[in-house]
Amino acid sequence: MSAIFVILEENGGHISRISWEALAAGTALAEQTSLPLHAVVIGSSTEALAAEAAAKQVAAVIRIEHALLNAYTPDGWTSALHQFLTANPATYVIFPHTYQVRDYAPALAARMNQVLIGDVTGIAAGPVFTRQLLQGRLNGSYKHASDGPCFVSVQAGAFRADALAVGSASVTTFAPTIEPSQIRTKPGAPFRASAQTVDLSSAPLIVSVGRGIKEADNLPLVQDLAAALGAELAASRPICDNGWLPMERQVGSSGQTVAPKLYLAVGISGAIQHLVGMKASQCIVAINKDPDAPIFEVADYGIVGDLFEVVPALTEAIKSAK
Amino acid sequence: MKIVVAIKQVPDRDAPVRIDASGKWIEESGLQFAMNEPDAYALEEALRLKEAQGGEVIVLSAGPERVGTTIREALAKGADRAIHITADDLGTRDALGVAKLIAEAIKPESPDLILTGLQSEDLGLGQTGVILAELLNLPHASLILHVEATGTGLKVKRELEAGWFQEIELPTPAVLTIQSGGNKLRYATLMGIKKAKTKEFRAVSAADLGQSSAPTVTLGQIALPSKQRSTQILSGSAKEAAAALVEKLKFEARII
Ligand SMILES: Cc1cc2nc3c(=O)[nH]c(=O)nc-3n(C[C@H](O)[C@H](O)[C@H](O)COP(=O)(O)OP(=O)(O)OC[C@H]3O[C@@H](n4cnc5c(N)ncnc54)[C@H](O)[C@@H]3O)c2cc1C
């Protein structure tokens, strides 16, 4: 019988948080379709991960296990899952939208003549899948239009992992056939860049600057604002990519995650990769000339205007208020 | 090293977006277009590899006639020649359909390396490069910041989440998807712009590259997103808005 398979990922020896969110998305689809929900773990030693998954309300847990799956490689994962999905027909295959999934799920789907519906933020009746377009400025609704399995990856934070019910599922093992020669890439161990000297995660007040600042020469504008507030200065990725501020000041999925009392975003559009790093902030203020900028979707207070006028005025107002 | 760089033309970041009459895409008339930013980094990486190793950089782009301006920009920056897959109907193809076109156009070139940006700024699918690798049966790595030729293959620096990185070794030919920020982008020089006009610029129509199959994934409606928090917009002149914000932060949010 066909089923929904949710592919769980490991992080630090446990099932990652976003994987549980993917399972929540799978649960929603199972309710909508009445299909059985199965959880899948992959690796060279998956017993503990499988036990974690089996304690949730799923019909079954599958361990895809092979010695050559000890470290992630796109070749290993694609081949193993392809063999599994060929032997076990799926209606839906759900992934967390992580860097790892981005790396192999499109190839896996293509191998089965399908296309991944990636980075999904919502699932409505149909099912209709919502994902963002134009860096979050628009939403698009997508449908799967084929007989084959529908591959979906879900965005971090889009589904609620804490709503998962407990259960005690049976665990089975699937042993794929993989030859060493099939694994064409050799992955090295993860490493961090140079030691961090600023810890943005403990700063109570943060002024964060984005590409709206236009040039490095304009940075004093926001530095003055941060100084007047007694805030740390942070930035969106392009500012750090350009070398205008060090990478350790970057907030977002590839930088730091912060949750200050105040996050003041200046000239930042609010792409999801930025939002995931700051949306838990207590109070979010956005200054942006575009009233439709996605940053306003998460802001408590907003000023729609030219930052080159608003920021100096704000710095003055703060100074005189103190 | 022979390198193909697949680049995409996308609406300019600062261009205002309006949903068109069909409700399925944005109004393109009057819109400014630009080279997709991660693709510009892919081109930069290719040009640096060529400068270090020798070889050839071929840019390839699929799309309607307007895409020509972005291709010319790549030639002006230093690419040696260009292939334009002319297609007015890319919007009706899914990621696999587009990748198939690109794969067909690349095959006769037999490059050592294929680079793409990691995702586009418009559709944001982030799949083209990875699907290309699958279709061409080549090894790949994604989210790459640096590429180094080792003699037997490549050593690349891959970005992981939350400030982590990883090195990966892989043989050539290979496909890499490039993340923004690994290099500083160059500008086209006047000389480069002049030279670009004399470089080979070959057009091949999508129809000549094979039948398009029915998409397995379709985009229905597009819409403005709904708000997660209710934002208080503070209006007035810059000075008034700033004063109002300080009031709010002091007495309502009690933060400063
Ligand atoms: C895998 C991956 C990981 C990523 N990781 C991160 C990450 O960790 N952190 C991160 O930030 N990004 C990350 N990104 C990039 C992200 O997708 C966006 O491209 C980036 O956040 C955009 O930065 P921005 O808002 O500063 O620039 P833009 O999107 O260009 O926005 C600039 C904003 O400034 C406004 N503006 C312009 N001029 C003015 C003015 N005079 N006055 C007021 N407003 C003005 C514009 O209206 C616009 O909204 C990642 C992307 C990928 C694909």
Side-chain angles (χ1 to χ4, degrees):
Chain A
M1 188 178 54
S2 195
I4 299 170
F5 294 104
V6 180
I7 315 300
L8 305 176
E9 227 171 69
E10 175 261 359
N11 184 11
H14 292 282
I15 305 280
S16 68
R17 178 172 178 84
I18 179 174
S19 293
W20 293 130
E21 294 172 2
L23 191 63
T27 307
L29 261 180
E31 279 162 13
Q32 196 184 119
T33 58
S34 304
L35 289 164
L37 177 68
H38 295 187
V40 177
V41 293
I42 308 171
S44 58
S45 159
T46 56
E47 194 175 350
L49 293 178
E52 269 187 65
K56 302 288 180 191
Q57 200 176 72
V58 292
V61 175
I62 299 104
R63 299 165 57 186
I64 300 183
E65 212 171 275
H66 194 287
L68 289 172
L69 299 174
N70 60 334
Y72 165 77
T73 58
D75 287 335
W77 257 237
T78 305
S79 172
L81 273 167
H82 179 240
Q83 291 175 49
F84 173 74
L85 292 170
T86 307
N88 299 274
T91 308
Y92 296 97
V93 186
I94 317 280
F95 307 85
H97 192 73
T98 59
Y99 277 34
Q100 183 167 305
V101 163
R102 296 173 61 114
D103 192 52
Y104 76 90
L108 172 66
R111 197 166 290 184
M112 303 188 76
N113 241 321
Q114 298 296 320
V115 172
L116 171 74
I117 306 178
D119 213 5
V120 161
T121 56
I123 303 176
V128 173
F129 302 95
T130 306
R131 56 181 304 281
Q132 298 176 315
L133 300 168
L134 290 151
Q135 309 247 57
R137 292 164 86 190
L138 291 171
N139 278 338
S141 47
Y142 282 79
K143 275 190 180 157
H144 181 241
S146 143
D147 299 335
C150 172
F151 292 86
V152 176
S153 67
V154 301
Q155 188 170 89
F159 293 86
R160 308 246 345 219
D162 49 11
L164 288 172
V166 295
S168 63
S170 64
V171 179
T172 55
T173 301
F174 178 84
T177 314
I178 307 173
E179 299 299 329
S181 61
Q182 278 177 275
I183 314 273
R184 296 167 293 183
T185 62
K186 219 166 93 196
F191 63 92
R192 278 202 96 115
S194 53
Q196 304 264 336
T197 55
V198 275
D199 181 14
L200 292 178
S201 64
S202 63
L205 307 175
I206 292 178
V207 170
S208 193
V209 58
R211 184 142 47 188
I213 198 75
K214 296 205 166 62
E215 286 171 28
D217 289 349
N218 298 331
L219 281 177
L221 217 60
V222 282
Q223 280 159 344
D224 289 349
L225 174 59
L229 267 171
E232 279 287 351
L233 190 62
S236 68
R237 178 167 182 135
I239 302 299
C240 304
D241 279 355
N242 286 334
W244 299 351
L245 286 174
M247 197 202 146
E248 58 186 4
R249 293 200 180 265
Q250 180 183 317
V251 167
S253 60
S254 50
Q256 298 207 39
T257 299
V258 299
K261 283 201 301 193
L262 172 68
Y263 191 87
L264 205 165
V266 179
I268 292 178
S269 64
I272 181 63
Q273 294 88 1
H274 189 79
L275 296 187
V276 294
M278 48 64 77
K279 70 179 174 190
S281 303
Q282 228 178 77
C283 176
I284 298 172
V285 177
I287 300 172
N288 197 302
K289 66 172 185 191
D290 174 9
D292 291 328
I295 190 75
F296 287 122
E297 286 158 39
V298 299
D300 299 286
Y301 302 106
I303 298 179
V304 178
D306 184 352
L307 72 90
F308 296 101
E309 291 171 18
V310 176
V311 170
L314 186 58
T315 307
E316 281 315 307
I318 287 164
K319 278 186 187 157
S320 49
K322 281 202 167 166
Chain B
M1 194 162 12
K2 185 172 180 181
I3 308 171
V4 171
V5 189
I7 59 175
K8 184 178 183 184
Q9 189 186 58
V10 294
D12 192 71
R13 263 189 305 274
D14 285 338
V17 300
R18 283 171 293 128
I19 298 172
D20 73 8
S22 75
K24 288 172 184 279
W25 194 233
I26 54 171
E27 192 60 66
E28 287 201 352
S29 59
L31 211 59
Q32 300 270 12
F33 290 90
M35 191 185 302
N36 184 46
E37 186 170 51
D39 302 0
Y41 281 98
L43 175 63
E44 182 62 40
E45 193 65 44
L47 294 173
R48 283 178 192 231
L49 280 168
K50 181 192 131 178
E51 282 156 9
Q53 307 277 316
E56 187 183 22
V57 174
I58 305 158
V59 283
L60 180 152
S61 189
E65 206 185 322
R66 61 169 159 78
V67 170
T69 57
T70 295
I71 295 178
R72 293 259 177 241
E73 182 189 335
L75 290 173
K77 284 183 167 184
D80 297 291
R81 59 187 170 94
I83 302 170
H84 179 186
I85 302 173
T86 54
D88 291 326
D89 65 345
L90 284 188
T92 65
R93 297 171 196 246
D94 58 19
L96 181 58
V98 175
K100 277 180 178 165
L101 285 180
I102 298 174
E104 284 310 311
I106 289 177
K107 265 182 200 162
E109 297 288 350
S110 307
D112 303 301
L113 182 59
I114 299 163
L115 302 183
T116 69
L118 85 168
Q119 70 182 47
S120 63
E121 291 167 80
D122 53 358
L123 292 175
L125 298 173
Q127 300 193 30
T128 306
V130 176
I131 299 176
L132 268 180
E134 173 66 22
L135 295 175
L136 296 169
N137 193 19
L138 297 177
H140 78 272
S142 63
L143 283 136
I144 301 306
L145 287 163
H146 289 292
V147 185
E148 195 188 311
T150 58
T152 53
L154 303 169
K155 190 152 92 184
V156 299
K157 181 180 175 191
R158 172 167 197 251
E159 178 180 302
L160 303 173
E161 277 123 338
W164 289 79
F165 303 93
Q166 173 185 41
E167 266 185 1
I168 295 175
E169 287 178 49
L170 68 171
T172 50
V175 181
L176 302 174
T177 79
I178 303 294
Q179 166 68 305
S180 298
N183 281 313
K184 241 182 129 51
L185 299 178
R186 71 190 63 196
Y187 292 98
T189 59
L190 267 178
M191 183 67 154
I193 295 169
K194 241 193 205 154
K195 266 196 184 158
K197 294 188 180 130
T198 64
K199 289 178 176 171
E200 183 185 313
F201 186 122
R202 193 160 57 83
V204 45
S205 79
D208 289 343
L209 293 170
Q211 290 287 312
S212 74
S213 42
T216 62
V217 165
T218 56
L219 171 58
Q221 297 305 113
I222 61 170
L224 284 173
S226 53
K227 292 196 182 297
Q228 296 168 25
R229 293 193 190 185
S230 53
T231 311
Q232 290 189 45
I233 297 289
L234 306 166
S235 47
S237 69
K239 218 173 154 182
E240 288 159 0
L245 178 59
V246 170
E247 285 285 296
K248 294 283 182 190
L249 293 180
K250 229 176 155 166
F251 300 111
E252 201 172 87
R254 295 168 198 274
I255 293 171
I256 59 171

